[in-house]
Amino acid sequence: MSDAERIAATADQAPDADMATLARGGRLNVFGFVLRLAGMVPFLFIGGRIYGPAALGRFAYAVLTVEFAAQIAALGLRRGLAQLLANAKKPQSCIVADALLVAAIGSAIGMAILIVFPKAMYPTTPVGGLDRLLAITVLAISWTDIALAALAYHHDVGATVRARSIVQPWVISIAAFGLSFVPVMVSRGDGLIIAYVLSMVAALVAALIPLFRCYGVPHGWTPDLATAWRTAVRNVPVAAADVVEWASRRIDLAVLGAFVPASFVGIYYAAQQVATLPAKLKTSFEPVLGPAIVRRLAVDDRAGIAKQVRQVTYWIIAAQLGIALALGIPGRAVMGLVGKGFTGGTAMLGFLLAAEVIAAAAVVSEAALIYVARKRNMLISLVMLAMEAGLAAALILAMRDENLPSAFQATGPAIALCVALAFASIAKSWLLKKQLRAPISGWRWDLAWATAAGVIVGVPVRFFLPETLQLVIGVPAIMIAFFAVLWIKGFGPEDRELFKLGKHEVKELREAEAAAAARDQTASDIV
């Protein structure tokens, strides 16, 4: 039996190994969402009520610039690392070290530019105090992304939950609150900047510790700039896809900042933070889904990839739709939690939550397209980004010509995001279906029945309960109604894999991970 036949037989003998691993990652990510929500709500409360919308808006734009630089510095290694590890011709610890070297070089360039030209972070406000300090987070963000991607390759999703859902949100919340007792920190907004820097450094430490435990010290590794450069060049399409996907969630804020006062940018940022919390459910699936796709590609199992894409897309749409209903129907109460001045962002929140549901198909499809059609995927992403930016500016200007209030104008970028992501989801799903020659849609009609149940419970919550009870009683009630119908009417055995717990599951997952590791080794030998 040839090597290719042997690895194919191994995959057939354990068809659910990758699915079990994906389910485990999904469970941890749902848990991580709850933890992240618990950590970020206090930060939004502190930022909105103590520092105010204007300071929060200034901070949001600066963070936007820094995170953009970090995305470029990582050079697509957040998702491209899985393939590098699968095709490794030297110890995996050395591959990770090479990736960190590439990111360090990119980060050094990005940090230097931002320190010398801080107006890139603060285009409409004076620069002073500790403003330049924010630039150092470029390295922390890029290294954290790569470290967590390396850990996810070995199915350690728990590290992502700890770093992104526990350490990062709680450090920024506690630090922002502690610094709020220094009046000058509040008036200048320096407290938010320092809190952000501390949270990113803490997340990096939380990622590096398990990274060294997993991979060990890269013995015999020496800096190889030639390899680093080749890696950078090869990863340009993946890096572009990463940057564009990231920019699709940020360009709306950038366009808004060019047309409306900083206070509305702050309101939009608060709505965006609430809406993108459930988005972590899909983005944190990527490091788990990537290695599974690479293994299937090694044996040309395109039907298996399509099955994984369908399953993960369904899980993500179901989770995000339920959360969107629970946060969107009582949206005014949710935004009021940040501060009374933020309730004008209720419509923004609704559109942003809808956008995250719409984006699910595009994001999961892209997880496979970056391996099978990376250039065409990049082209679709660029068209989507241009569509979003152009439509956002056009809607704001059109509303301004009609003399509509700034609160109405600020919904323009959110509407543009919905339209652009709908285009991307349709185009990328069609392209992936063509590449895999198998259906990849994660939509099922039981989602419509569950949505109806959530709306039936949510309407009386919205109109007959005071805002406090909408949050305390209404949000859980809507989610219970939605997921109860989904569980009874829609979930089959594979779907319920996402919720299995207990000793039997632990044993099954260990066997699945062992089988996956065996396939990794054989795939690496073949490639």
Side-chain angles (χ1 to χ4, degrees), residues 57-349:
R58 182 178 186 270
F59 162 79
Y61 201 96
V63 168
L64 170 77
T65 307
V66 166
E67 290 183 349
F68 176 71
Q71 287 293 318
I72 296 176
L75 287 168
L77 289 167
R78 180 169 60 90
R79 286 186 290 184
L81 186 60
Q83 194 165 35
L84 293 177
L85 290 170
N87 300 339
K89 296 295 190 298
K90 57 183 177 179
Q92 290 186 343
S93 60
C94 294
I95 298 294
V96 174
D98 288 340
L100 293 175
L101 173 63
V102 171
I105 295 171
S107 298
I109 296 171
M111 289 187 295
I113 292 172
L114 292 179
I115 290 173
V116 175
F117 304 103
K119 291 297 286 185
M121 296 183 285
Y122 313 97
T124 60
T125 56
V127 178
L130 301 172
D131 288 340
R132 284 181 168 84
L133 177 66
L134 192 63
I136 69 172
T137 57
V138 173
L139 178 63
I141 296 170
S142 61
W143 270 23
T144 301
D145 285 344
I146 291 171
L148 295 178
L151 289 165
Y153 182 78
H154 288 286
H155 315 304
D156 185 0
V157 186
T160 300
V161 174
R162 287 189 296 272
R164 296 296 193 202
S165 300
I166 299 176
V167 174
Q168 180 182 327
W170 280 107
V171 168
I172 194 172
S173 296
I174 293 170
F177 178 72
L179 293 167
S180 69
F181 291 99
V182 183
V184 68
M185 292 285 184
V186 175
S187 61
R188 285 192 45 81
D190 283 347
L192 294 175
I193 293 171
I194 297 174
Y196 182 81
V197 172
L198 292 175
S199 70
M200 292 299 107
V201 173
L204 174 60
V205 173
L208 289 179
I209 291 173
L211 179 71
F212 283 112
R213 288 176 179 169
C214 179
Y215 286 87
V217 177
H219 295 290
W221 176 81
T222 55
D224 186 350
L225 295 181
T227 300
W229 174 252
R230 287 194 298 270
T231 300
V233 172
R234 185 180 181 279
N235 270 347
V236 166
V238 180
D242 271 351
V243 171
V244 170
E245 196 278 331
W246 174 89
S248 69
R249 302 300 192 281
R250 302 296 190 278
I251 198 169
D252 50 352
L253 193 68
V255 171
L256 191 66
F259 290 97
V260 301
S263 57
F264 285 98
V265 177
I267 295 171
Y268 193 95
Y269 173 77
Q272 191 181 63
Q273 291 302 298
V274 174
T276 55
L277 283 171
K280 303 301 178 184
L281 294 173
K282 65 175 181 288
T283 55
S284 52
F285 259 111
E286 290 171 4
V288 187
L289 186 58
I293 290 172
V294 169
R295 286 189 288 269
R296 295 290 177 179
L297 280 175
V299 296
D300 197 30
D301 183 10
R302 294 179 180 256
I305 295 173
K307 179 181 178 182
Q308 292 170 349
V309 170
R310 285 196 304 272
Q311 187 66 66
V312 173
T313 302
Y314 174 72
W315 281 340
I316 291 172
I317 291 176
Q320 289 191 300
L321 188 54
I323 293 169
L325 290 171
L327 296 178
I329 293 175
R332 185 177 179 83
V334 172
M335 293 301 294
L337 186 64
V338 182
K340 291 182 179 180
F342 289 79
T343 54
T346 304
M348 304 176 200
L349 176 63

